[in-house]
Amino acid sequence: SATYMDRAALGIEPAQAATKGVYYLHRAKDVSAGTIFVQGAGIGRIVVENVLPEILAGKAPDVNLIYVASRELFESLSQQEQDQLVPPALMRRATGLTDFTLPTLDCWLHSRQGRAHALYPHKNGKFLGSGVGAKVYEEAGMDGASVLAAIRAYAEDLKRAA
């Protein structure tokens, strides 16, 4: 049986927000720690179950977590609405986590640093095995512990660059 996230308890925007193409899983109190675009149901679940609780407990960097529900819906908004929802300054420092390929993040990540920190299944240059989802994500370096380590490294690099 599946478990469902309690959006209200986790501070996640209502499901209706997905109609704009993106919604915040978490809004950082201080955006200087960074912004992470999360794309795909598998990595989204890993973030909600493993990363978000660590952020809320103060054990991980307080980054913006923006879930990409549909690039097409986002791009159908006026430029003003897009910029209000996701200010361009966030994209200039953002990184991403995706179940897909790095190029699917290109419209969200506007820096070399953001691209370098992005996680995607084939980042390590090898074809992944098949099996239980959790093991495949672990092999890809996209399990909860690996994602948390990557977020910490990304936030540290942003601090050094500031």
Side-chain angles (χ1 to χ4, degrees):
S1 80
T3 57
Y4 298 94
M5 66 179 162
D6 183 341
R7 289 176 174 272
L10 293 169
I12 298 173
E13 293 183 344
Q16 297 88 332
T19 62
K20 294 189 181 234
V22 300
Y23 62 88
Y24 286 77
L25 294 169
H26 177 72
R27 287 185 189 262
K29 291 175 189 72
D30 176 8
V31 296
S32 68
T35 297
I36 300 171
F37 285 91
V38 180
Q39 181 178 259
I43 193 64
R45 186 171 192 93
I46 290 168
V47 167
V48 168
E49 291 178 352
N50 298 268
V51 175
L52 187 52
E54 294 292 305
I55 291 172
L56 295 174
K59 298 177 182 176
D62 185 30
V63 295
N64 284 312
L65 296 171
I66 301 175
Y67 188 80
V68 178
S70 169
R71 175 180 175 177
E72 292 79 7
L73 284 174
F74 181 78
E75 289 178 346
S76 73
L77 301 173
S78 71
Q79 190 64 54
Q80 182 181 1
E81 287 177 289
Q82 289 179 31
D83 292 349
Q84 255 183 326
L85 192 55
V86 183
L90 295 183
M91 291 186 195
R92 287 192 290 271
R93 302 179 70 223
T95 193
L97 309 168
T98 184
D99 285 341
F100 311 110
T101 61
L102 181 59
T104 64
L105 290 172
D106 282 348
C107 65
W108 311 107
L109 312 183
H110 296 180
S111 74
R112 287 185 184 159
Q113 183 181 32
R115 286 178 58 87
H117 280 284
L119 294 183
Y120 50 97
H122 302 288
K123 183 170 185 160
N124 296 323
K126 68 177 194 165
F127 185 78
L128 302 173
S130 61
V132 177
K135 285 296 193 188
V136 176
Y137 278 96
E138 184 179 331
E139 183 182 358
M142 296 175 65
D143 57 297
S146 298
V147 170
L148 279 166
I151 290 172
R152 287 183 176 105
Y154 160 70
E156 281 302 314
D157 277 358
L158 286 180
K159 272 187 202 174
R160 279 193 290 277

